[in-house]
Amino acid sequence: MGVKVVRSLKVVRRQDDTDTNVPITSSPVALVPSSGPSGQYSAAALGGAAAGCAVAGALISAVIVWLVMRSRLRRRTRDLEARHGVPTHSKPREKASHPRKAAAATVLSSEETSSAAIVENHLPQPKDDRTIEEELAKIESLIEQHSENFYSSRQVGNATHIDQATIAALGENVTLSATSLTTLLNDPATRIVMIRYFISSIIGTRLDVGGNPDTSFLPPAVTTFLKSTSPEEGNLEVWNAFFSKWCAISSYILTKGKSNKAAILPHAGHEQHILDAVRTLNSILLPYAESQYERDRVQNLTEIMRRSARFGFLLFSQPTLWKLDWQRPRDAGADAVVIFPALLQLSDENGKTLKSPRVFGAKRLTDKFGGGK
C-alpha cells in the first residue's frame, strides 16, 4: 500500500518568481510609507504583502506535505522488507511514459509481494511432534480395544478361510501366506492379535500417499493427481521440496482453510472408500464377532476408519514427508510379525531428506504368535 500511495502522489511544481498574484498597477509599488499618517502603509503595499505571504505559505505547506509523505513511504518500505524479506526496490523499473502506467506498475509490484505473503501466512501450521505421536498412539489403542471387546476367544464353527483375494484386499503390508493367516486367525490363542494385525494393515495401506486411488483414505483429488505423476529421475531433492509445498497448499485448498476434521469426509467417494474397508474387514472378522454387540462393533470399526483417515490427511497437510514402517526389526525372531507400524519422518519442513529418519511411536510385534508386544 505504501508504494502505491507514493506513485499516485502528484508532485507539486515550484512556481517561478514572476508567477505571483500581486496586482499590477500603472506605477511601481511603494517601498516606503506613503504620505498618509505616520506608521501606516498604502493599501497597495498591504495587498502585495498579503498576496506574497499566501503564495509562500502554499509553497511551504506543499514542501511539508511532500516531506511527510516521503517519510511515511520509507517507513512502510522498511516494514515490508522486514516482514517479507523481499527488497521492495531491489530492481529498478523503467520510467513509465504516463502517470497511469507508473501507478499500474506499482500496484503490480505490491500485489506480487503481498501474494507471496498471503500464501505463506495462510498455509496450515505444522503440528508439533507430540500431537502427531499422541494421535498415532490413540489409533493403536482404539484398534486394540476394538479387538478385545467385540470378538470371541472361543472356537467357532463357521471359521474364515483366507485366500489370495482376501490378502490382496487387505493390502501389501500383509506378508504372511493365506494358510498361515487362516491358522492364526482360527486359533483362539492368537486370534485377537491377528485381528489387530488385519485392522492395522488395511489402514496402513490406505494412508499411503502413493496408494491405490480406488481404495485410499486420502481425498480422491489428491490420489488421482499423484497417480498421474512421479518424481523426476536425478532430482529427488527438488521433487521433495516442491512436493512438500504442494501438499501444504493442496490441503488448504481442499479444506477451504477449515479444520481437516470437518472438511475432508463429506466427499462421497472418500466416505465410500471407508465403508468399503469396513466391509472387507467384516468379511474376515464376522464369524468371530460377539453377535449381541454387532451394531456397536460395526459403528466402532467405522469410526476407527474415519479417525485414521483424518490422521492420514493430517500427515499429508504437513510440510514434512512421512512413511509408515512395517519392516521387521533385524533382531526380531523369524516368526515375528509387525502388527502395528512405527511412523517415520523422512524430511524437514523444507522437503530436504533427513540423514536419519525420525521415529514416532514404536512397532508392535507378535511374540511368536502368542501375543502382542
Side-chain angles (χ1 to χ4, degrees):
M1 292 298 296
V3 180
K4 180 179 179 180
V5 170
V6 138
R7 294 282 185 151
S8 300
L9 279 177
K10 294 181 179 179
V11 179
V12 179
R13 183 174 60 88
R14 182 183 179 89
Q15 300 289 333
D16 295 334
D17 292 340
T18 57
D19 185 13
T20 67
N21 294 324
V22 178
I24 300 176
T25 61
S26 57
S27 60
V29 177
L31 299 179
V32 293
S34 63
S35 59
S38 176
Q40 295 182 352
Y41 296 92
S42 68
L46 292 175
C53 289
V55 173
L59 291 175
I60 292 173
S61 298
V63 171
I64 292 175
V65 169
W66 178 75
L67 290 174
V68 171
M69 294 304 297
R70 186 176 67 170
S71 176
R72 289 181 179 178
L73 169 65
R74 289 177 176 176
R75 185 169 60 253
R76 291 179 181 177
T77 300
R78 288 194 299 268
D79 290 344
L80 282 173
E81 293 177 355
R83 186 181 305 128
H84 306 303
V86 178
T88 55
H89 296 292
S90 58
K91 183 179 180 180
R93 294 181 174 271
E94 296 182 2
K95 185 177 180 180
S97 58
H98 191 279
R100 290 183 180 178
K101 292 184 179 180
T106 303
V107 171
L108 178 59
S109 176
S110 177
E111 289 178 350
E112 290 172 351
T113 302
S114 61
S115 295
I118 288 173
V119 170
E120 291 298 330
N121 291 337
H122 286 80
L123 285 179
Q125 292 298 312
K127 295 295 183 181
D128 58 272
D129 295 349
R130 182 177 178 182
T131 297
I132 293 175
E133 195 158 19
E134 287 181 348
E135 185 61 22
L136 180 67
K138 182 63 176 178
I139 291 174
E140 180 188 7
S141 177
L142 291 173
I143 293 173
E144 184 176 2
Q145 292 172 18
H146 176 87
S147 303
E148 293 176 351
N149 293 338
F150 292 105
Y151 301 92
S152 171
S153 58
R154 301 182 301 272
Q155 288 286 356
V156 297
N158 187 22
T160 297
H161 177 74
I162 296 177
D163 54 19
Q164 289 303 128
T166 304
I167 293 178
L170 288 172
E172 61 184 11
N173 296 321
V174 177
T175 57
L176 295 176
S177 68
T179 301
S180 296
L181 291 173
T182 300
T183 300
L184 294 168
L185 183 60
N186 289 324
D187 185 350
T190 56
R191 178 178 301 147
I192 300 305
V193 173
M194 295 310 296
I195 291 174
R196 290 168 59 185
Y197 175 60
F198 288 139
I199 297 174
S200 300
S201 296
I202 205 167
I203 290 173
T205 300
R206 285 155 175 76
L207 295 189
D208 185 359
V209 293
N212 186 350
D214 296 329
T215 60
S216 177
F217 283 175
L218 294 175
V222 170
T223 55
T224 301
F225 172 77
L226 290 176
K227 188 178 181 180
S228 65
T229 185
S230 61
E232 182 180 356
E233 294 184 6
N235 285 318
L236 186 58
E237 288 295 326
V238 174
W239 167 270
N240 287 343
F242 274 94
F243 182 75
S244 65
K245 186 69 68 176
W246 175 80
C247 289
I249 294 174
S250 297
S251 66
Y252 179 85
I253 294 174
L254 288 170
T255 61
K256 299 179 177 62
K258 300 178 182 177
S259 164
N260 63 50
K261 181 177 181 179
I264 69 169
L265 293 181
H267 192 287
H270 191 195
E271 177 71 4
Q272 188 61 48
H273 292 174
I274 291 173
L275 298 179
D276 287 344
V278 173
R279 277 191 288 270
T280 298
L281 286 169
N282 275 339
S283 69
I284 302 171
L285 305 180
L286 186 58
Y288 313 100
E290 298 283 8
S291 58
Q292 64 269 35
Y293 305 121
E294 180 61 15
R295 181 176 180 180
D296 291 339
R297 182 186 71 85
V298 174
Q299 182 177 353
N300 182 259
L301 185 59
T302 303
E303 288 305 316
I304 291 175
M305 297 297 111
R306 289 192 177 123
R307 183 161 190 154
S308 300
R310 291 193 292 268
F311 180 63
F313 190 78
L314 172 64
L315 295 180
F316 170 78
S317 68
Q318 303 306 295
T320 49
L321 305 180
W322 304 87
K323 179 182 179 181
L324 291 172
D325 182 16
W326 290 89
Q327 289 188 350
R328 184 177 60 194
R330 295 180 180 179
D331 57 351
D335 293 333
V337 175
V338 177
I339 61 175
F340 193 84
L343 178 65
L344 302 182
Q345 178 184 336
L346 304 178
S347 73
D348 62 17
E349 294 183 359
N350 296 315
K352 185 176 181 180
T353 303
L354 299 177
K355 293 182 179 179
S356 298
R358 297 183 61 203
V359 181
F360 289 72
K363 294 178 185 177
R364 304 299 176 187
L365 307 175
T366 61
D367 184 14
K368 296 182 180 180
F369 303 120
K373 67 175 182 179

